[in-house]
Coordinates of all heavy atoms in Angstrom, one line a residue:
M1 N 0.8 -1.2 0.0 CA 0.0 0.0 0.0 C 0.9 1.2 0.0 O 1.8 1.4 0.8 CB -0.9 0.0 1.2 CG -1.8 1.2 1.3 SD -2.6 1.3 2.9 CE -3.1 3.0 2.9
D2 N 0.6 2.2 -0.9 CA 1.4 3.4 -1.0 C 1.1 4.3 0.2 O 0.0 4.4 0.7 CB 1.0 4.2 -2.3 CG 1.4 3.5 -3.5 OD1 2.0 2.4 -3.5 OD2 1.2 4.1 -4.6
V3 N 2.2 4.9 0.7 CA 2.1 5.8 1.8 C 2.2 7.2 1.3 O 1.4 8.1 1.6 CB 3.2 5.5 2.9 CG1 3.2 6.6 4.0 CG2 3.0 4.1 3.4
I4 N 3.3 7.4 0.5 CA 3.5 8.8 0.0 C 4.6 8.6 -1.2 O 5.4 7.7 -1.2 CB 4.1 9.7 1.1 CG1 4.1 11.2 0.7 CG2 5.4 9.3 1.6 CD1 4.3 12.1 1.9
A5 N 4.6 9.6 -2.1 CA 5.7 9.6 -3.1 C 7.0 10.0 -2.5 O 7.1 10.9 -1.6 CB 5.3 10.6 -4.2
L6 N 8.0 9.3 -2.8 CA 9.4 9.6 -2.3 C 9.7 11.1 -2.5 O 10.3 11.7 -1.6 CB 10.4 8.7 -3.0 CG 11.9 8.9 -2.5 CD1 12.0 8.5 -1.0 CD2 12.8 8.1 -3.3
E7 N 9.4 11.6 -3.7 CA 9.7 13.0 -4.0 C 9.0 14.0 -3.1 O 9.5 15.1 -3.0 CB 9.4 13.3 -5.5 CG 10.3 12.6 -6.5 CD 11.7 13.0 -6.3 OE1 12.0 14.2 -6.2 OE2 12.6 12.1 -6.2
A8 N 8.0 13.6 -2.4 CA 7.3 14.5 -1.6 C 8.0 14.6 -0.2 O 7.6 15.5 0.6 CB 5.8 14.0 -1.3
L9 N 9.0 13.8 0.0 CA 9.7 13.8 1.3 C 11.0 14.6 1.2 O 11.8 14.3 0.4 CB 10.0 12.4 1.8 CG 8.8 11.5 2.1 CD1 9.3 10.1 2.5 CD2 8.0 12.1 3.3
P10 N 11.2 15.6 2.0 CA 12.4 16.3 2.0 C 13.5 15.4 2.5 O 13.3 14.6 3.4 CB 12.2 17.5 2.9 CG 11.1 17.2 3.7 CD 10.2 16.2 3.0
D11 N 14.7 15.5 2.0 CA 15.8 14.7 2.5 C 16.3 15.1 3.9 O 16.6 16.3 4.1 CB 17.0 14.8 1.5 CG 17.7 13.5 1.4 OD1 17.9 12.8 2.4 OD2 18.2 13.1 0.3
G12 N 16.3 14.2 4.8 CA 16.9 14.4 6.1 C 16.0 15.2 7.1 O 16.4 15.5 8.2
V13 N 14.8 15.5 6.7 CA 13.9 16.3 7.5 C 12.7 15.5 7.9 O 12.0 14.9 7.0 CB 13.4 17.6 6.8 CG1 12.4 18.4 7.6 CG2 14.6 18.4 6.3
P14 N 12.4 15.3 9.2 CA 11.2 14.5 9.5 C 9.9 15.0 8.9 O 9.7 16.2 8.9 CB 11.2 14.6 11.1 CG 12.5 15.0 11.5 CD 13.1 15.8 10.3
A15 N 9.1 14.1 8.4 CA 7.8 14.4 7.8 C 6.8 13.5 8.3 O 7.1 12.5 9.0 CB 8.0 14.3 6.3
E16 N 5.5 13.8 8.0 CA 4.4 13.0 8.5 C 3.5 12.6 7.4 O 3.4 13.3 6.4 CB 3.6 13.8 9.5 CG 2.5 13.1 10.3 CD 1.1 13.2 9.7 OE1 1.0 14.0 8.8 OE2 0.2 12.5 10.2
A17 N 3.0 11.4 7.4 CA 2.1 10.9 6.4 C 1.2 9.9 7.1 O 1.5 9.3 8.2 CB 2.8 10.2 5.3
E18 N 0.0 9.7 6.6 CA -0.9 8.7 7.2 C -0.9 7.4 6.3 O -0.7 7.5 5.1 CB -2.3 9.3 7.2 CG -2.5 10.3 8.3 CD -3.9 10.5 8.8 OE1 -4.8 10.0 8.2 OE2 -4.1 11.2 9.8
A19 N -1.2 6.3 7.0 CA -1.3 5.1 6.3 C -2.2 4.2 7.1 O -2.4 4.3 8.3 CB 0.1 4.4 6.3
M20 N -2.9 3.3 6.3 CA -3.8 2.3 7.0 C -3.0 1.2 7.4 O -2.3 0.5 6.6 CB -4.9 1.9 6.0 CG -5.9 2.9 5.6 SD -6.9 3.5 7.0 CE -8.0 2.1 7.2
I21 N -3.0 0.9 8.7 CA -2.2 -0.2 9.3 C -3.2 -1.0 10.1 O -3.9 -0.5 11.1 CB -1.1 0.3 10.2 CG1 0.0 1.0 9.3 CG2 -0.4 -0.9 10.9 CD1 1.1 1.6 10.0
E22 N -3.3 -2.3 9.8 CA -4.3 -3.2 10.4 C -5.7 -2.6 10.5 O -6.3 -2.6 11.6 CB -3.7 -3.6 11.8 CG -2.4 -4.4 11.7 CD -1.8 -4.8 13.0 OE1 -2.3 -4.4 14.1 OE2 -0.7 -5.4 13.0
G23 N -6.1 -1.9 9.5 CA -7.4 -1.5 9.4 C -7.7 -0.1 10.0 O -8.9 0.4 9.9
S24 N -6.7 0.6 10.5 CA -7.0 1.9 11.0 C -5.9 2.9 10.5 O -4.7 2.5 10.3 CB -7.0 1.9 12.6 OG -5.7 1.5 13.1
A25 N -6.4 4.1 10.4 CA -5.5 5.2 9.9 C -4.5 5.5 11.0 O -4.9 5.8 12.1 CB -6.3 6.4 9.5
Q26 N -3.2 5.5 10.6 CA -2.2 5.8 11.6 C -1.3 7.0 11.1 O -1.0 7.0 9.9 CB -1.2 4.6 11.8 CG -1.9 3.4 12.4 CD -2.2 3.4 13.8 OE1 -1.6 4.3 14.5 NE2 -3.0 2.6 14.3
S27 N -0.9 7.8 11.9 CA 0.1 8.9 11.6 C 1.5 8.3 11.7 O 1.8 7.7 12.7 CB -0.1 10.1 12.5 OG 0.9 11.0 12.3
L28 N 2.3 8.5 10.7 CA 3.6 8.0 10.7 C 4.6 9.2 10.7 O 4.4 10.2 10.1 CB 3.9 7.2 9.4 CG 3.0 6.0 9.1 CD1 3.5 5.2 7.9 CD2 2.9 5.1 10.3
L29 N 5.7 9.0 11.3 CA 6.9 9.8 11.3 C 7.9 9.2 10.3 O 8.2 8.0 10.4 CB 7.6 9.9 12.7 CG 9.0 10.3 12.7 CD1 9.2 11.8 12.3 CD2 9.6 10.1 14.2
L30 N 8.2 10.0 9.2 CA 9.1 9.5 8.2 C 10.3 10.3 8.1 O 10.3 11.5 8.2 CB 8.3 9.5 6.8 CG 7.0 8.8 6.7 CD1 6.3 9.1 5.4 CD2 7.1 7.3 7.0
V31 N 11.5 9.6 7.8 CA 12.7 10.3 7.6 C 13.4 9.7 6.3 O 13.7 8.5 6.3 CB 13.7 10.2 8.8 CG1 15.0 10.9 8.5 CG2 13.1 10.7 10.0
R32 N 13.5 10.5 5.3 CA 14.2 10.1 4.1 C 15.6 10.4 4.1 O 16.0 11.5 4.6 CB 13.5 10.8 2.9 CG 14.2 10.6 1.6 CD 13.6 11.4 0.5 NE 14.4 11.1 -0.7 CZ 14.2 11.8 -1.9 NH1 13.2 12.7 -1.9 NH2 14.9 11.5 -2.9
Q33 N 16.4 9.4 3.7 CA 17.8 9.7 3.4 C 18.1 9.2 2.0 O 18.2 7.9 1.9 CB 18.8 9.1 4.5 CG 18.8 9.9 5.8 CD 19.8 9.4 6.8 OE1 20.0 8.2 6.9 NE2 20.4 10.3 7.4
G34 N 18.2 10.0 1.1 CA 18.4 9.6 -0.3 C 17.3 8.8 -0.8 O 16.1 9.2 -0.8
Q35 N 17.5 7.5 -1.1 CA 16.5 6.6 -1.6 C 15.9 5.7 -0.5 O 15.1 4.8 -0.8 CB 17.1 5.7 -2.8 CG 17.6 6.5 -4.0 CD 16.5 7.4 -4.6 OE1 15.4 6.8 -5.0 NE2 16.7 8.7 -4.7
Q36 N 16.4 5.9 0.7 CA 15.9 5.1 1.8 C 14.9 6.0 2.7 O 15.1 7.2 2.8 CB 17.1 4.7 2.7 CG 18.2 4.0 2.0 CD 17.9 2.5 1.8 OE1 17.3 1.9 2.7 NE2 18.3 2.0 0.7
V37 N 14.0 5.3 3.3 CA 13.0 6.0 4.2 C 12.8 5.1 5.4 O 12.6 3.9 5.3 CB 11.7 6.2 3.5 CG1 10.7 6.9 4.5 CG2 11.8 7.1 2.3
R38 N 13.0 5.7 6.5 CA 12.7 5.0 7.8 C 11.4 5.6 8.3 O 11.1 6.7 8.1 CB 13.8 5.2 8.8 CG 15.1 4.5 8.5 CD 16.2 4.7 9.6 NE 16.5 6.1 9.9 CZ 17.3 6.8 9.2 NH1 17.9 6.3 8.1 NH2 17.6 8.0 9.5
G39 N 10.7 4.7 9.1 CA 9.4 5.2 9.6 C 9.0 4.6 10.9 O 9.5 3.5 11.3
W40 N 8.3 5.4 11.7 CA 7.8 5.0 13.0 C 6.4 5.5 13.2 O 6.0 6.5 12.5 CB 8.7 5.6 14.1 CG 10.1 5.2 14.1 CD1 10.7 4.1 14.7 CD2 11.2 5.9 13.4 NE1 12.0 4.1 14.5 CE2 12.4 5.1 13.7 CE3 11.3 7.0 12.7 CZ2 13.6 5.5 13.2 CZ3 12.5 7.4 12.2 CH2 13.7 6.7 12.4
L41 N 5.6 4.8 14.0 CA 4.4 5.4 14.4 C 4.6 6.8 15.0 O 5.6 6.9 15.8 CB 3.6 4.5 15.4 CG 3.1 3.2 14.9 CD1 2.4 2.5 16.0 CD2 2.3 3.3 13.6
N42 N 3.8 7.8 14.7 CA 3.9 9.1 15.3 C 3.3 9.1 16.7 O 2.3 9.9 16.9 CB 3.3 10.1 14.3 CG 3.4 11.5 14.8 OD1 4.3 11.9 15.6 ND2 2.6 12.4 14.2
V43 N 3.8 8.3 17.5 CA 3.3 8.1 18.9 C 4.5 8.0 19.8 O 5.4 7.2 19.7 CB 2.5 6.8 19.0 CG1 2.0 6.5 20.4 CG2 1.3 6.8 18.0
C44 N 4.4 8.8 20.9 CA 5.5 8.8 21.8 C 5.3 7.7 22.8 O 4.2 7.5 23.3 CB 5.5 10.1 22.6 SG 6.9 10.2 23.8
P45 N 6.4 6.9 23.1 CA 6.2 5.8 24.1 C 6.0 6.3 25.5 O 5.6 5.4 26.3 CB 7.6 5.0 24.0 CG 8.5 6.0 23.3 CD 7.7 6.9 22.5
H46 N 6.2 7.6 25.8 CA 5.9 8.0 27.2 C 4.4 8.0 27.5 O 4.0 7.3 28.4 CB 6.5 9.4 27.4 CG 6.1 10.0 28.7 ND1 5.7 11.3 28.8 CD2 6.1 9.5 29.9 CE1 5.4 11.5 30.1 NE2 5.6 10.5 30.8
A47 N 3.7 8.8 26.8 CA 2.3 8.9 27.2 C 1.3 8.8 26.0 O 0.2 9.1 26.0 CB 2.0 10.3 27.9
G48 N 1.9 8.3 24.9 CA 1.1 8.0 23.7 C 0.6 9.2 22.9 O -0.3 9.0 22.1
R49 N 1.2 10.3 23.2 CA 0.8 11.5 22.5 C 1.6 11.5 21.1 O 2.6 10.9 20.9 CB 1.2 12.7 23.3 CG 0.6 12.8 24.7 CD -0.7 13.5 24.7 NE -0.4 14.9 24.6 CZ -0.2 15.8 25.6 NH1 -0.2 15.4 26.8 NH2 0.0 17.1 25.4
R50 N 1.0 12.4 20.2 CA 1.8 12.6 18.9 C 3.1 13.3 19.2 O 3.2 14.1 20.2 CB 0.9 13.5 18.0 CG -0.3 12.8 17.4 CD -1.1 13.7 16.5 NE -0.4 14.2 15.4 CZ -0.7 13.9 14.1 NH1 -1.7 13.1 13.9 NH2 0.0 14.4 13.1
L51 N 4.0 13.1 18.4 CA 5.4 13.7 18.6 C 5.4 15.1 18.0 O 6.2 15.9 18.5 CB 6.4 12.8 17.9 CG 6.6 11.4 18.4 CD1 7.2 10.5 17.4 CD2 7.4 11.4 19.7
D52 N 4.6 15.4 17.0 CA 4.7 16.7 16.3 C 3.8 17.7 17.1 O 2.8 17.3 17.7 CB 4.2 16.6 14.8 CG 3.0 15.7 14.6 OD1 2.4 15.2 15.6 OD2 2.6 15.6 13.4
W53 N 4.2 19.0 17.0 CA 3.4 20.0 17.7 C 2.2 20.5 16.9 O 1.3 21.1 17.4 CB 4.3 21.2 18.1 CG 5.1 21.8 17.0 CD1 6.3 21.5 16.5 CD2 4.6 22.9 16.2 NE1 6.7 22.3 15.5 CE2 5.7 23.2 15.3 CE3 3.5 23.7 16.1 CZ2 5.6 24.3 14.3 CZ3 3.4 24.8 15.2 CH2 4.4 25.0 14.3
A54 N 2.3 20.3 15.6 CA 1.2 20.5 14.6 C 1.4 19.4 13.6 O 2.5 18.9 13.4 CB 1.2 21.9 14.0
P55 N 0.3 19.0 12.8 CA 0.5 17.9 11.9 C 1.7 18.1 11.0 O 1.8 19.1 10.2 CB -0.8 17.9 11.1 CG -1.8 18.4 12.1 CD -1.0 19.5 12.9
G56 N 2.7 17.2 11.1 CA 3.9 17.3 10.2 C 5.0 18.3 10.7 O 6.0 18.4 10.0
K57 N 4.8 18.9 11.8 CA 5.8 19.9 12.3 C 6.5 19.3 13.5 O 5.8 19.1 14.6 CB 5.1 21.2 12.7 CG 4.2 21.8 11.6 CD 5.1 22.4 10.5 CE 4.2 23.1 9.5 NZ 5.0 23.5 8.3
F58 N 7.7 18.9 13.3 CA 8.5 18.2 14.3 C 9.6 19.1 14.9 O 10.2 19.9 14.1 CB 9.1 16.9 13.8 CG 8.1 15.9 13.4 CD1 7.7 15.8 12.1 CD2 7.6 15.0 14.3 CE1 6.7 14.8 11.7 CE2 6.6 14.1 14.0 CZ 6.2 14.0 12.7
L59 N 9.8 19.1 16.1 CA 10.9 19.8 16.8 C 12.2 19.0 16.7 O 12.1 17.8 16.9 CB 10.6 20.1 18.2 CG 9.3 21.0 18.5 CD1 9.0 20.9 19.9 CD2 9.5 22.4 18.0
L60 N 13.3 19.6 16.5 CA 14.6 19.0 16.5 C 15.6 19.7 17.4 O 15.5 20.9 17.5 CB 15.2 19.0 15.0 CG 14.4 18.2 14.0 CD1 15.0 18.4 12.6 CD2 14.4 16.7 14.3
T61 N 16.5 18.9 18.0 CA 17.6 19.6 18.7 C 18.6 20.1 17.7 O 18.6 19.8 16.5 CB 18.3 18.6 19.6 OG1 18.9 17.6 18.8 CG2 17.3 17.9 20.6
R62 N 19.6 20.8 18.2 CA 20.7 21.3 17.3 C 21.4 20.1 16.7 O 22.0 20.3 15.6 CB 21.6 22.2 18.1 CG 21.2 23.6 18.1 CD 22.3 24.5 18.7 NE 21.6 25.4 19.6 CZ 22.1 25.8 20.7 NH1 23.3 25.5 21.1 NH2 21.4 26.6 21.5
T63 N 21.5 19.0 17.3 CA 22.2 17.8 16.8 C 21.3 16.9 15.9 O 21.8 15.9 15.5 CB 22.8 17.0 17.9 OG1 21.8 16.6 18.8 CG2 23.9 17.8 18.6
G64 N 20.1 17.3 15.7 CA 19.2 16.6 14.8 C 18.3 15.5 15.5 O 17.7 14.7 14.8
A65 N 18.3 15.4 16.8 CA 17.4 14.5 17.5 C 16.0 15.1 17.5 O 15.8 16.3 17.5 CB 17.9 14.3 19.0
L66 N 15.1 14.2 17.4 CA 13.7 14.6 17.4 C 13.2 14.9 18.9 O 13.5 14.1 19.8 CB 12.8 13.6 16.7 CG 11.4 13.9 16.6 CD1 10.9 13.6 15.1 CD2 10.5 13.2 17.6
V67 N 12.4 15.9 19.1 CA 11.9 16.2 20.4 C 10.4 16.0 20.4 O 9.7 16.6 19.6 CB 12.3 17.7 20.8 CG1 11.8 18.0 22.2 CG2 13.8 17.9 20.7
C68 N 9.9 15.2 21.4 CA 8.5 15.1 21.5 C 7.9 16.4 22.0 O 8.3 17.0 23.0 CB 8.1 14.0 22.5 SG 6.4 13.8 22.8
A69 N 6.9 16.9 21.3 CA 6.3 18.2 21.6 C 5.5 18.2 22.9 O 5.3 19.2 23.5 CB 5.3 18.6 20.5
A70 N 5.2 17.0 23.5 CA 4.4 17.0 24.7 C 5.2 17.2 25.9 O 4.9 18.2 26.7 CB 3.7 15.6 24.8
H71 N 6.2 16.4 26.2 CA 7.0 16.6 27.4 C 8.5 16.6 27.1 O 9.3 16.4 28.1 CB 6.7 15.5 28.4 CG 5.2 15.3 28.6 ND1 4.5 14.2 28.2 CD2 4.3 16.1 29.2 CE1 3.3 14.3 28.5 NE2 3.1 15.4 29.1
G72 N 8.9 16.7 25.9 CA 10.3 17.0 25.6 C 11.3 15.8 25.5 O 12.5 16.0 25.5
A73 N 10.8 14.6 25.5 CA 11.7 13.4 25.3 C 12.4 13.6 23.9 O 11.8 14.1 23.0 CB 10.9 12.1 25.3
T74 N 13.6 13.2 23.9 CA 14.4 13.3 22.6 C 14.6 11.9 22.1 O 14.9 10.9 22.8 CB 15.7 14.0 22.8 OG1 16.5 13.3 23.7 CG2 15.5 15.4 23.3
F75 N 14.6 11.7 20.8 CA 14.8 10.5 20.1 C 15.8 10.6 18.9 O 15.8 11.6 18.2 CB 13.5 10.0 19.4 CG 12.4 9.8 20.4 CD1 11.6 10.9 20.8 CD2 12.2 8.6 21.0 CE1 10.6 10.7 21.8 CE2 11.2 8.4 22.0 CZ 10.4 9.4 22.3
E76 N 16.7 9.7 18.8 CA 17.6 9.7 17.7 C 16.8 9.1 16.5 O 15.9 8.2 16.7 CB 19.0 9.0 17.9 CG 18.9 7.6 18.4 CD 18.8 6.7 17.2 OE1 19.2 7.1 16.1 OE2 18.3 5.6 17.4
L77 N 17.2 9.5 15.3 CA 16.4 9.1 14.1 C 17.0 8.0 13.3 O 16.8 7.9 12.1 CB 16.0 10.3 13.3 CG 15.1 11.3 14.0 CD1 14.9 12.6 13.2 CD2 13.7 10.6 14.3
Q78 N 17.9 7.2 13.9 CA 18.4 6.0 13.2 C 17.6 4.8 13.6 O 17.1 4.1 12.7 CB 19.9 5.8 13.6 CG 20.8 6.9 13.0 CD 20.8 6.9 11.4 OE1 20.8 5.8 10.8 NE2 20.8 8.0 10.8
D79 N 17.5 4.5 14.9 CA 16.7 3.4 15.3 C 15.5 3.8 16.2 O 14.8 2.9 16.7 CB 17.5 2.3 15.9 CG 18.2 2.7 17.2 OD1 17.8 3.8 17.8 OD2 19.0 1.9 17.7
G80 N 15.3 5.1 16.4 CA 14.2 5.6 17.1 C 14.3 5.5 18.6 O 13.3 5.6 19.4
Q81 N 15.5 5.3 19.1 CA 15.6 5.2 20.6 C 15.5 6.5 21.3 O 16.0 7.5 20.8 CB 17.0 4.5 20.9 CG 17.1 4.2 22.4 CD 18.3 3.3 22.7 OE1 19.3 3.3 21.9 NE2 18.3 2.7 23.8
C82 N 14.9 6.5 22.5 CA 14.8 7.7 23.3 C 16.1 7.9 24.0 O 16.6 7.1 24.7 CB 13.6 7.5 24.3 SG 13.4 9.0 25.3
L83 N 16.6 9.1 23.8 CA 17.9 9.5 24.4 C 17.8 10.2 25.8 O 18.7 10.0 26.6 CB 18.7 10.5 23.5 CG 18.9 10.0 22.0 CD1 19.4 11.1 21.2 CD2 19.9 8.8 22.0
S84 N 16.7 10.9 26.0 CA 16.5 11.6 27.2 C 15.1 11.9 27.4 O 14.3 11.9 26.5 CB 17.3 12.9 27.2 OG 16.8 13.8 26.3
G85 N 14.7 12.2 28.7 CA 13.3 12.5 29.0 C 12.6 11.3 29.7 O 13.3 10.3 30.1
P86 N 11.3 11.4 29.8 CA 10.6 10.5 30.7 C 10.5 9.0 30.2 O 10.2 8.1 30.9 CB 9.2 11.1 30.8 CG 9.1 12.0 29.6 CD 10.4 12.5 29.3
C87 N 10.9 8.8 28.9 CA 10.8 7.4 28.4 C 12.2 7.0 27.9 O 12.3 6.2 27.0 CB 9.8 7.3 27.3 SG 9.9 8.6 26.0
R88 N 13.3 7.6 28.5 CA 14.6 7.2 28.1 C 14.9 5.7 28.0 O 14.5 5.0 29.0 CB 15.6 7.9 29.1 CG 17.0 7.6 28.8 CD 17.9 8.4 29.7 NE 19.3 8.1 29.3 CZ 20.3 8.8 29.8 NH1 20.1 9.8 30.6 NH2 21.5 8.5 29.4
G89 N 15.5 5.3 26.9 CA 15.8 3.9 26.8 C 14.7 3.1 26.0 O 15.0 2.0 25.5
Q90 N 13.5 3.7 25.9 CA 12.5 3.1 25.1 C 12.6 3.5 23.7 O 13.4 4.4 23.3 CB 11.1 3.4 25.6 CG 10.8 3.0 27.0 CD 9.4 3.3 27.5 OE1 8.4 3.0 26.8 NE2 9.3 3.9 28.6
C91 N 11.9 2.9 22.8 CA 12.0 3.1 21.4 C 10.6 3.5 20.7 O 9.6 3.0 21.2 CB 12.5 1.9 20.6 SG 14.3 1.7 20.8
L92 N 10.7 4.3 19.7 CA 9.5 4.5 18.9 C 9.2 3.2 18.2 O 10.1 2.3 18.0 CB 9.8 5.6 17.8 CG 10.2 6.9 18.3 CD1 10.6 7.8 17.1 CD2 9.1 7.5 19.1
Q93 N 7.9 3.0 17.8 CA 7.5 1.7 17.2 C 7.8 1.8 15.7 O 7.2 2.6 15.0 CB 6.1 1.4 17.4 CG 5.7 0.1 16.9 CD 4.3 -0.3 17.3 OE1 3.7 0.2 18.3 NE2 3.7 -1.2 16.5
A94 N 8.7 1.1 15.2 CA 9.1 1.1 13.8 C 8.0 0.6 12.9 O 7.3 -0.4 13.3 CB 10.4 0.3 13.6
V95 N 8.0 1.1 11.7 CA 7.0 0.6 10.7 C 7.9 0.3 9.5 O 8.7 1.1 9.0 CB 6.0 1.8 10.3 CG1 5.2 1.3 9.1 CG2 5.2 2.1 11.5
A96 N 7.7 -1.0 9.0 CA 8.5 -1.4 7.9 C 8.1 -0.7 6.6 O 6.9 -0.7 6.3 CB 8.4 -2.9 7.7
L97 N 9.1 -0.2 5.9 CA 8.8 0.6 4.7 C 9.8 0.2 3.6 O 10.9 -0.2 3.9 CB 8.9 2.1 4.9 CG 8.0 2.7 5.9 CD1 8.4 4.1 6.2 CD2 6.5 2.7 5.4
Q98 N 9.3 0.3 2.3 CA 10.2 0.1 1.2 C 9.9 1.2 0.2 O 8.8 1.8 0.3 CB 9.9 -1.2 0.5 CG 10.1 -2.5 1.3 CD 9.7 -3.7 0.5 OE1 9.6 -3.7 -0.8 NE2 9.5 -4.8 1.2
V99 N 10.9 1.5 -0.7 CA 10.6 2.4 -1.8 C 10.6 1.6 -3.0 O 11.4 0.8 -3.3 CB 11.8 3.4 -1.9 CG1 11.5 4.3 -3.1 CG2 11.9 4.2 -0.6
R100 N 9.4 1.7 -3.7 CA 9.2 0.9 -4.9 C 8.6 1.8 -6.0 O 7.6 2.5 -5.8 CB 8.2 -0.2 -4.6 CG 8.3 -1.4 -5.6 CD 7.3 -2.5 -5.2 NE 7.5 -3.0 -3.9 CZ 6.5 -3.5 -3.1 NH1 5.3 -3.5 -3.5 NH2 6.8 -4.0 -1.9
D101 N 9.3 1.9 -7.1 CA 8.8 2.7 -8.2 C 8.5 4.2 -7.8 O 7.5 4.8 -8.2 CB 7.5 2.1 -8.9 CG 7.8 0.8 -9.5 OD1 9.0 0.5 -9.9 OD2 6.9 -0.1 -9.5
G102 N 9.3 4.7 -7.0 CA 9.2 6.1 -6.6 C 8.1 6.3 -5.5 O 7.9 7.5 -5.1
Q103 N 7.6 5.2 -5.0 CA 6.6 5.4 -3.9 C 7.1 4.7 -2.6 O 7.7 3.6 -2.7 CB 5.3 4.6 -4.3 CG 4.5 5.3 -5.5 CD 3.9 6.6 -5.1 OE1 3.3 6.7 -4.0 NE2 4.0 7.6 -5.9
V104 N 6.8 5.3 -1.5 CA 7.1 4.7 -0.2 C 5.9 3.8 0.1 O 4.7 4.3 0.1 CB 7.2 5.7 0.9 CG1 7.5 5.1 2.2 CG2 8.3 6.7 0.5
V105 N 6.2 2.5 0.3 CA 5.1 1.5 0.6 C 5.3 0.8 1.9 O 6.5 0.7 2.3 CB 4.9 0.5 -0.6 CG1 4.6 1.2 -1.9 CG2 6.2 -0.3 -0.8
L106 N 4.3 0.3 2.4 CA 4.4 -0.5 3.7 C 5.0 -1.9 3.3 O 4.7 -2.4 2.2 CB 3.0 -0.7 4.3 CG 2.3 0.5 4.9 CD1 0.9 0.2 5.3 CD2 3.1 1.2 6.0
G107 N 5.8 -2.4 4.2 CA 6.3 -3.7 4.0 C 7.8 -3.9 4.0 O 8.5 -2.9 4.0
Ligands
FES1 S1 4.3 12.1 25.5 FE1 6.3 12.4 24.6 S2 7.5 13.0 26.3 FE2 5.5 12.7 27.2

């Protein structure tokens, strides 16, 4: 199932898209690096809130870690691990993605 066109994602900047997962619409956090895209549910492991402060608007530290807009937990964007804050050591829930024919797809 298509999530978004690869070209719609800026390189290296967190973005948001929705996808149907197990029958329900889920917001995803996506990070493109060249032809690769990593993705996680846009849900913080601390209190289950969205990570963005407005749809698709993510806060970053000066070193590029993502900051949860709710209570400030920080996450690195390689494997989604929480670096600091109330859920330190936990991870974002990864979503398996592939790029096929210019489209980011689930799987
Ligand atoms: S919900 Fe993200 S730090 Fe609390």
Side-chain angles (χ1 to χ4, degrees):
M1 180 188 163
D2 290 1
V3 175
I4 193 169
L6 181 65
E7 289 302 310
L9 296 174
D11 212 325
V13 179
E16 189 263 353
E18 286 204 352
M20 291 297 287
I21 297 178
E22 295 176 1
S24 64
Q26 300 281 346
S27 173
L28 305 183
L29 159 65
L30 303 175
V31 179
R32 174 185 177 184
Q33 283 188 319
Q35 299 300 304
Q36 306 277 324
V37 178
R38 291 187 300 282
W40 299 271
L41 294 182
N42 183 17
V43 175
C44 181
H46 172 225
R49 304 265 290 269
R50 285 176 67 111
L51 297 157
D52 44 2
W53 56 269
K57 305 290 186 190
F58 294 96
L59 300 168
L60 296 173
T61 67
R62 272 186 227 148
T63 57
L66 184 133
V67 181
C68 176
H71 310 111
T74 62
F75 299 87
E76 59 83 23
L77 292 174
Q78 290 297 318
D79 66 9
Q81 188 169 22
C82 181
L83 302 170
S84 67
C87 48
R88 183 174 178 166
Q90 296 183 52
C91 282
L92 301 175
Q93 187 173 336
V95 175
L97 298 170
Q98 297 178 18
V99 177
R100 204 180 299 150
D101 299 329
Q103 293 289 319
V104 181
V105 299
L106 295 173

